[in-house]
Amino acid sequence: NFGAENVVQFGDCTDILVAGTTLDCIVFDAAECASTFESDSMGLPQPSISPDLSVTSSPTRGPPTTASPTVKEPCFDDWATFSEAARDSLGGESLILCAGTRFDLDDEKNADHVPLRITSNNLSIRCASRRRDSCVVSGGSIQMKVTGSVRELVVTGVTFSRALVTSVSADVSVPFDIEFVECDWKNNTGSTTIEITNLEDELPVRSLQEQLDVTNDFVCDQCVFESNKANDGVIAAIGASLFIDFTDFRNNEVEGSLISTESSTVNIADSCVTDTGISSGGSLINSTNSKVYAEGSYISRNGDGEACDGFVDEFGACIPFNGTDSCSAAKRRCHADLESLIDALSRPQGVVRVVTICENSIIDFDGQPAIELSDGRTHIRCGTRASHRNSCFIIGGGVQFLVTSSLLLQGLTFSRSSVASIHAAGNESTMLEIIDCQFHQVESGQASILIYNGDIPSLTSNRRRLAITDFNEPDERSMTVQVMFSSFFDVNVELSPVSCLNCNVVVANCQFEGNNGLSGGIGVWFGGSMDLQQSCFRSNIGELAGSVYVTNETVSESENWSDSNEVTTGDCLDLFSATGCAVDDQACSGTCVPFSSETCVALAAPTLAPTESPTTEHMPIEGCYGDWDELRDKIQNPDTSIQEESVVLALCSSSALEVGGEPIVLDKNISIECIDDGDCMISGGSTQFVVRGDEINVSFLGITFTNASDVSILAVANGNSLAHFVGCRWTGNEGKTSVLVYNEASGEVYNGSKPLEGLSVPTNQSMRVDFETCEFVSNSLQYSVVTNIFGHTRFLNTLFEGNADLQIGVVSARALAEVTIQDSCFIDNGSNSPGTVFLANQSRLLNVSNLYGSDNQVSFGECTEIFTLAETECTADACDGLCTSFDASNCSLPSFNPTPSPSLEVDENPTRRPTEELRLQEESVFSSGFFLRNLVTAAAILAVGGVAFMFCRRQQTSTAKEKTAAGAQTEEGDPETPANGDAVYEDPIPETTSGNLFLESERKEDEALGEGAHTSEMQSADYSNDDEYQGEYDNNRPDEPNLS
C-alpha cells in the first residue's frame, strides 16, 4: 500500500494505527502507487483504467496475506544514497525523504555528494511527513543544483537551512518548470537563497499571453522564507517566470532587493512580506527589464522608511503592492461565487493551476456565458479534499464550461444547464478528466458532457431541438476524456448524458439512472474509441437501441451491469454497436453486446450497489406455500428446485409453517414474502433458515419467527452477501441467539454444539444483514438477540422489547464487526453485561442516531445503553469501557406514534444534498392489520397492568439502592456526555451480582486480532478448551475516541 500527503490532527501516524494490543504506527510498504494508480497527464495521481482493474462494492476486509504490514515505506535517511538516486534518475520517479531526518552537508562523509544534482524530467522529491521542519537539509555551500531543460520537477515539504552561498541554484534552458511546495528556507546566507538563470542567448520580456506559450516557470507555493541574509536578493532570477503564491517572507535581510529579476516576469499573489531589512533606496522587487504582476498580498514593516514597499517601474516610480489588511499566506483561498471563480481562473499559473471552490457553495451561471479554459493545465476541485460530499453546485446557464485545454474537474455537482454542463471542444491532444462529479436534474439541452471538436449548432424558430444530424463530423478527432467515479441521475437531453462525437472516451465506475435521451447512458457517433468498465445503468430510457449506443468505433467493455432500462428501437438494452448505417437511422443493424456483470460493482454506488435488497420485479412462482416441507422441497430439492437466478416465493396469508427436521438452506437469490401482510409465521426447529454461499442476496418480508431452540437465522455467507429483513418479527425464541452473522467459509462450520463465544474468528469479513421496521420482542436467549462476528448489521426503525436472560447485550458485535442503528427503540431488556448494545474486539459503530431506551437493566456495571469495551481487563469488580447514551427523548417508531409516516426515509450520509437523497419507498408494516391489532392489545394490557408495573419498578429500584448501599463501589453520578456529543469513558464498573459471564475466549480473540496486525495473516483464536468459557472476559483494547 502507498500513502502520501495524508494529514492527522492527533499524533504522528498518517498510515495505519491499530488500536488493540499496540499503539505502534504501521507504515505503508510501497514507495509509490503501484498497479492500480498511475500519473495522469497533469502530474496528478488518479486511478488507472486498465482491463484488470477490479473494484467490488464489498471488498474483503482483513490483514494482507502477502506483504508484511510492518515493512516501512522506502525512504532515504542517508544523503549520499539520496544524492546518487537523484543524480542517476531517468525521470518519472518519486524520491521520499524519511520523516524526522536532518541531512548535514557539512559532514565529511557527504562532501562528495554536495550539491544535490538534478537533470531529469518528471521527478518528485518529497518529505514523508507534512509537518514543517520534518526533513531538513542543512549546511553546505550550494545545496541543490538543477541544470538543463528540466520539466516538472516538484519538491515538497523540505526545509533548506544554513547554506553559505546559494541554497538552490538552477542553470536552465527553455523549456523548464520547477516547483517548490510547502518548502522552507531559513537562516541561509550568501549571495542569494534561490538563483535561477536562463541560459537562452536572448532573453525577451514576455507578456502574460507569451508566458503561456513558453514554459520557463519557477514556482513557490505555500513556502516560507525566514531569517535569510542575502546580498543580491532572497530570490534572484534571469529570464524566468516566477510564480509566488501563498508564500510568507519574514525577517529577511537583503542589501539590494528581496526579489531581484532581469528580463523576467514576477507573479506574486496572496503572499506576505513583513519585517524585511532593505538598504536605503532599495525595493521589495528590483525588476530590471521585467514585468511585475502583484495582487492580494500583505506588506508591512519593510525597509527603513526610504525603501520602496513594492517595485520600481521603468520610469523610476515606486509602485506599491495591491495589499490586503491581513496576512493569509499559506492559506489557500476558495471561491464561492462565479465572479471570484472567473477571477481565479484568469490568473497566470505555474505547472498546474489549482482552483478550489468553497464547500457548500453555489456557482450560478444564470444569464452568464460559459467559462472558457483554453490554456495550460487546470484543476478545479470542490473543497481541499475534492469530494462531491463537500456540496459544490454548478447550476444554470447554457454551457457552463467550454474546454479546449487540459482540465481536471473533481467533486463538483452540475445541474440545470440548458445546453451542456461541459463542452469539451479541444482536439485529441488535450485531456479532460472528470472524477467524482455528479450530473443531476438536467431537463433540456444536448448532453451533460458534450465531447465535440466544433461549434454547437444554433437553434432557430424552425428548429427548436437538435438532432445528431445537425452536427457536422469533426475535421479532426475530438478531445480525450476520462469520466470516473461519477453519476448521472435524472438527465433528460437530446443526445445522451455523455455524448462523444469522434473522440476517445473512458468511462469507469460510473452510474447512470433515470436518464432520457437518444441513448439513456452514453452515445458515441462519428467513430472514435470507448473503454467502458465497471459502470451501472438502471431505469434509463433511450430512443436508440442500447443503454450505450456506438457507431464505427473501437469498444472495450468489462464488468458493466444494467437493470430495468427501456428502448423504443429494438430489444437491445445493454451495449449496441451499430454498423453499416447512417447516424440518424434508428433501425440500423448492429451487434448487441450484453453486459457481463450480474451485479453493480461500481465504486461508491449509492443507489445501484449490490447491497440493496434483491429486486422484487420478478413474478412470484405460482401459488403460495403454507407447509414447511413444501417450501423446503421447492428451494432445495434438485428435481423441483428453483432454476432462476432470483425469484420471489410467497407464503400464504395467516399461515403457520412448523419447522420439521433440517433448516432450509438459501444458497441463491431468493425473496420470501408473506402475502398481503397476512401474519405468516415460521415456528419451531433448532435453526429455521441458513444463508450460505458466495454473493448471495436474500430477503424476507412480513414474517414472524418464533420458538427456535438454537439460532433462528444463521447468516453465514461470505462478505459480499446480503440478507434483508423488512417488517419481520422474532418472539418467543429460547436458543443462543435469534440471528448469527458469521463467515463459515473463513471460520468454521457452526453445528450448534459449540457456544457462540467459542467460534474462531473468520479471516475474511462476514456478510451484511439489514433489519428494517422489524421487532425483537420477548425472547429469552443465552447470548444476545443479534450476534455479529466480523460482519455488518444495520437496524432501521427496529424495536427491541422485553428480551431477557441475555449474556452480552441485545445487540453484540465482536471481531472487527460494524453496526449501524437508526430510529430504533430499546425497552425493558435485560443483560448480564454492561450495555444494551455491546461492542468488543475492535468493533465499531458506523452510524447511530435517534435511539431511545427505557427500563433496560444490566446486572454488571451501570451502562444500560451502548457499551464499547476498552483496554483493561474485565475483573470481578469492574469492566472499563465507553458508555454512549441513546440520543432520543421518546420512541419514534410508528407503533408508539399515532401518525406513522407512509414511507421510510433512509439517509446513510447525513451530508447528502436534497437532490441526491435516497428514499426507500416501502409501505410501513406498522400500518398493517397485524400491528394495529397488537397495538390495541398492548394498550389494553398497559391499562390493566399500569398500577402493578409502577409498584414493581419502585420495589426494584429500592432493592438496587439497598445493594449499592451494602458495599458496591460505584462511580458517583451518571456517565456524562459532553456538549459536542462525544461520549466519555466510565470509571471501572463494579460487579453488582454474581452473574459475571464475560468470557476468557474473548480475550484470546483479542490477542488473535492484535497479532493479525503484525503478521502476514490473521490467526484464529484457540478455543480448544470450551469449558473455560465461563471465565472472566479479558480485553486489550486501548482507550480511543468514539468515532461513530
PDB file of all heavy atoms in Angstrom, residues 682-697:
ATOM      1  N   ILE A 682     -43.175 -18.630  11.032  1.00  0.00           N
ATOM      2  CA  ILE A 682     -42.275 -19.770  10.983  1.00  0.00           C
ATOM      3  C   ILE A 682     -42.004 -20.167  12.428  1.00  0.00           C
ATOM      4  O   ILE A 682     -41.486 -19.355  13.200  1.00  0.00           O
ATOM      5  CB  ILE A 682     -40.956 -19.429  10.275  1.00  0.00           C
ATOM      6  CG1 ILE A 682     -41.208 -18.833   8.891  1.00  0.00           C
ATOM      7  CG2 ILE A 682     -40.064 -20.646  10.196  1.00  0.00           C
ATOM      8  CD1 ILE A 682     -41.784 -19.787   7.893  1.00  0.00           C
ATOM      9  N   SER A 683     -42.340 -21.405  12.812  1.00  0.00           N
ATOM     10  CA  SER A 683     -42.305 -21.775  14.221  1.00  0.00           C
ATOM     11  C   SER A 683     -41.541 -23.077  14.430  1.00  0.00           C
ATOM     12  O   SER A 683     -41.643 -24.010  13.632  1.00  0.00           O
ATOM     13  CB  SER A 683     -43.731 -21.928  14.763  1.00  0.00           C
ATOM     14  OG  SER A 683     -43.721 -22.316  16.119  1.00  0.00           O
ATOM     15  N   GLY A 684     -40.767 -23.106  15.536  1.00  0.00           N
ATOM     16  CA  GLY A 684     -40.117 -24.329  15.963  1.00  0.00           C
ATOM     17  C   GLY A 684     -38.803 -24.588  15.274  1.00  0.00           C
ATOM     18  O   GLY A 684     -38.278 -23.774  14.500  1.00  0.00           O
ATOM     19  N   GLY A 685     -38.259 -25.773  15.558  1.00  0.00           N
ATOM     20  CA  GLY A 685     -36.993 -26.161  14.984  1.00  0.00           C
ATOM     21  C   GLY A 685     -35.812 -25.603  15.759  1.00  0.00           C
ATOM     22  O   GLY A 685     -35.940 -24.660  16.543  1.00  0.00           O
ATOM     23  N   SER A 686     -34.654 -26.199  15.518  1.00  0.00           N
ATOM     24  CA  SER A 686     -33.440 -25.691  16.120  1.00  0.00           C
ATOM     25  C   SER A 686     -32.958 -24.452  15.382  1.00  0.00           C
ATOM     26  O   SER A 686     -32.756 -23.400  15.978  1.00  0.00           O
ATOM     27  CB  SER A 686     -32.360 -26.778  16.095  1.00  0.00           C
ATOM     28  OG  SER A 686     -31.131 -26.269  16.553  1.00  0.00           O
ATOM     29  N   THR A 687     -32.758 -24.582  14.078  1.00  0.00           N
ATOM     30  CA  THR A 687     -32.454 -23.452  13.197  1.00  0.00           C
ATOM     31  C   THR A 687     -33.466 -23.465  12.070  1.00  0.00           C
ATOM     32  O   THR A 687     -33.803 -24.517  11.539  1.00  0.00           O
ATOM     33  CB  THR A 687     -31.030 -23.565  12.632  1.00  0.00           C
ATOM     34  OG1 THR A 687     -30.091 -23.472  13.706  1.00  0.00           O
ATOM     35  CG2 THR A 687     -30.740 -22.475  11.635  1.00  0.00           C
ATOM     36  N   GLN A 688     -33.935 -22.270  11.664  1.00  0.00           N
ATOM     37  CA  GLN A 688     -35.013 -22.207  10.674  1.00  0.00           C
ATOM     38  C   GLN A 688     -34.495 -21.950   9.257  1.00  0.00           C
ATOM     39  O   GLN A 688     -34.892 -22.628   8.321  1.00  0.00           O
ATOM     40  CB  GLN A 688     -36.015 -21.131  11.120  1.00  0.00           C
ATOM     41  CG  GLN A 688     -36.695 -21.514  12.425  1.00  0.00           C
ATOM     42  CD  GLN A 688     -37.422 -20.369  13.105  1.00  0.00           C
ATOM     43  OE1 GLN A 688     -37.160 -19.193  12.833  1.00  0.00           O
ATOM     44  NE2 GLN A 688     -38.327 -20.697  14.017  1.00  0.00           N
ATOM     45  N   PHE A 689     -33.602 -20.971   9.092  1.00  0.00           N
ATOM     46  CA  PHE A 689     -33.015 -20.703   7.774  1.00  0.00           C
ATOM     47  C   PHE A 689     -31.504 -20.537   7.917  1.00  0.00           C
ATOM     48  O   PHE A 689     -31.016 -19.974   8.906  1.00  0.00           O
ATOM     49  CB  PHE A 689     -33.601 -19.431   7.137  1.00  0.00           C
ATOM     50  CG  PHE A 689     -35.015 -19.576   6.672  1.00  0.00           C
ATOM     51  CD1 PHE A 689     -36.073 -19.214   7.494  1.00  0.00           C
ATOM     52  CD2 PHE A 689     -35.294 -20.080   5.412  1.00  0.00           C
ATOM     53  CE1 PHE A 689     -37.382 -19.333   7.062  1.00  0.00           C
ATOM     54  CE2 PHE A 689     -36.596 -20.217   4.966  1.00  0.00           C
ATOM     55  CZ  PHE A 689     -37.652 -19.841   5.795  1.00  0.00           C
ATOM     56  N   VAL A 690     -30.783 -21.022   6.892  1.00  0.00           N
ATOM     57  CA  VAL A 690     -29.345 -20.846   6.804  1.00  0.00           C
ATOM     58  C   VAL A 690     -29.035 -20.137   5.482  1.00  0.00           C
ATOM     59  O   VAL A 690     -29.410 -20.642   4.411  1.00  0.00           O
ATOM     60  CB  VAL A 690     -28.583 -22.185   6.865  1.00  0.00           C
ATOM     61  CG1 VAL A 690     -27.083 -21.945   6.742  1.00  0.00           C
ATOM     62  CG2 VAL A 690     -28.907 -22.933   8.148  1.00  0.00           C
ATOM     63  N   VAL A 691     -28.383 -18.971   5.553  1.00  0.00           N
ATOM     64  CA  VAL A 691     -27.941 -18.252   4.353  1.00  0.00           C
ATOM     65  C   VAL A 691     -26.464 -18.557   4.182  1.00  0.00           C
ATOM     66  O   VAL A 691     -25.635 -18.198   5.022  1.00  0.00           O
ATOM     67  CB  VAL A 691     -28.180 -16.736   4.490  1.00  0.00           C
ATOM     68  CG1 VAL A 691     -27.770 -16.033   3.199  1.00  0.00           C
ATOM     69  CG2 VAL A 691     -29.634 -16.452   4.823  1.00  0.00           C
ATOM     70  N   ARG A 692     -26.134 -19.241   3.088  1.00  0.00           N
ATOM     71  CA  ARG A 692     -24.778 -19.756   2.932  1.00  0.00           C
ATOM     72  C   ARG A 692     -24.345 -19.614   1.468  1.00  0.00           C
ATOM     73  O   ARG A 692     -25.142 -19.779   0.555  1.00  0.00           O
ATOM     74  CB  ARG A 692     -24.738 -21.215   3.368  1.00  0.00           C
ATOM     75  CG  ARG A 692     -23.392 -21.907   3.201  1.00  0.00           C
ATOM     76  CD  ARG A 692     -23.482 -23.347   3.701  1.00  0.00           C
ATOM     77  NE  ARG A 692     -23.581 -23.427   5.158  1.00  0.00           N
ATOM     78  CZ  ARG A 692     -24.304 -24.331   5.809  1.00  0.00           C
ATOM     79  NH1 ARG A 692     -25.026 -25.208   5.135  1.00  0.00           N
ATOM     80  NH2 ARG A 692     -24.323 -24.340   7.129  1.00  0.00           N
ATOM     81  N   GLY A 693     -23.059 -19.332   1.243  1.00  0.00           N
ATOM     82  CA  GLY A 693     -22.535 -19.283  -0.122  1.00  0.00           C
ATOM     83  C   GLY A 693     -21.816 -17.977  -0.401  1.00  0.00           C
ATOM     84  O   GLY A 693     -21.454 -17.221   0.500  1.00  0.00           O
ATOM     85  N   ASP A 694     -21.639 -17.693  -1.688  1.00  0.00           N
ATOM     86  CA  ASP A 694     -20.892 -16.525  -2.151  1.00  0.00           C
ATOM     87  C   ASP A 694     -21.805 -15.642  -2.984  1.00  0.00           C
ATOM     88  O   ASP A 694     -22.527 -16.128  -3.853  1.00  0.00           O
ATOM     89  CB  ASP A 694     -19.683 -16.969  -2.983  1.00  0.00           C
ATOM     90  CG  ASP A 694     -18.743 -15.812  -3.294  1.00  0.00           C
ATOM     91  OD1 ASP A 694     -18.619 -14.913  -2.458  1.00  0.00           O
ATOM     92  OD2 ASP A 694     -18.149 -15.819  -4.383  1.00  0.00           O
ATOM     93  N   GLU A 695     -21.798 -14.317  -2.724  1.00  0.00           N
ATOM     94  CA  GLU A 695     -22.622 -13.350  -3.441  1.00  0.00           C
ATOM     95  C   GLU A 695     -24.093 -13.733  -3.389  1.00  0.00           C
ATOM     96  O   GLU A 695     -24.805 -13.704  -4.391  1.00  0.00           O
ATOM     97  CB  GLU A 695     -22.147 -13.190  -4.891  1.00  0.00           C
ATOM     98  CG  GLU A 695     -20.757 -12.610  -5.015  1.00  0.00           C
ATOM     99  CD  GLU A 695     -20.382 -12.287  -6.447  1.00  0.00           C
ATOM    100  OE1 GLU A 695     -21.259 -12.397  -7.326  1.00  0.00           O
ATOM    101  OE2 GLU A 695     -19.217 -11.942  -6.683  1.00  0.00           O
ATOM    102  N   ILE A 696     -24.569 -14.062  -2.217  1.00  0.00           N
ATOM    103  CA  ILE A 696     -25.968 -14.425  -2.007  1.00  0.00           C
ATOM    104  C   ILE A 696     -26.735 -13.178  -1.600  1.00  0.00           C
ATOM    105  O   ILE A 696     -26.260 -12.369  -0.803  1.00  0.00           O
ATOM    106  CB  ILE A 696     -26.087 -15.523  -0.920  1.00  0.00           C
ATOM    107  CG1 ILE A 696     -25.243 -16.727  -1.307  1.00  0.00           C
ATOM    108  CG2 ILE A 696     -27.543 -15.930  -0.725  1.00  0.00           C
ATOM    109  CD1 ILE A 696     -25.595 -17.320  -2.654  1.00  0.00           C
ATOM    110  N   ASN A 697     -27.956 -13.046  -2.116  1.00  0.00           N
ATOM    111  CA  ASN A 697     -28.793 -11.884  -1.855  1.00  0.00           C
ATOM    112  C   ASN A 697     -30.206 -12.376  -1.570  1.00  0.00           C
ATOM    113  O   ASN A 697     -30.919 -12.799  -2.476  1.00  0.00           O
ATOM    114  CB  ASN A 697     -28.778 -10.969  -3.082  1.00  0.00           C
ATOM    115  CG  ASN A 697     -28.999  -9.527  -2.713  1.00  0.00           C
ATOM    116  OD1 ASN A 697     -29.632  -9.224  -1.711  1.00  0.00           O
ATOM    117  ND2 ASN A 697     -28.498  -8.624  -3.543  1.00  0.00           N
TER     118      ASN A 697
END
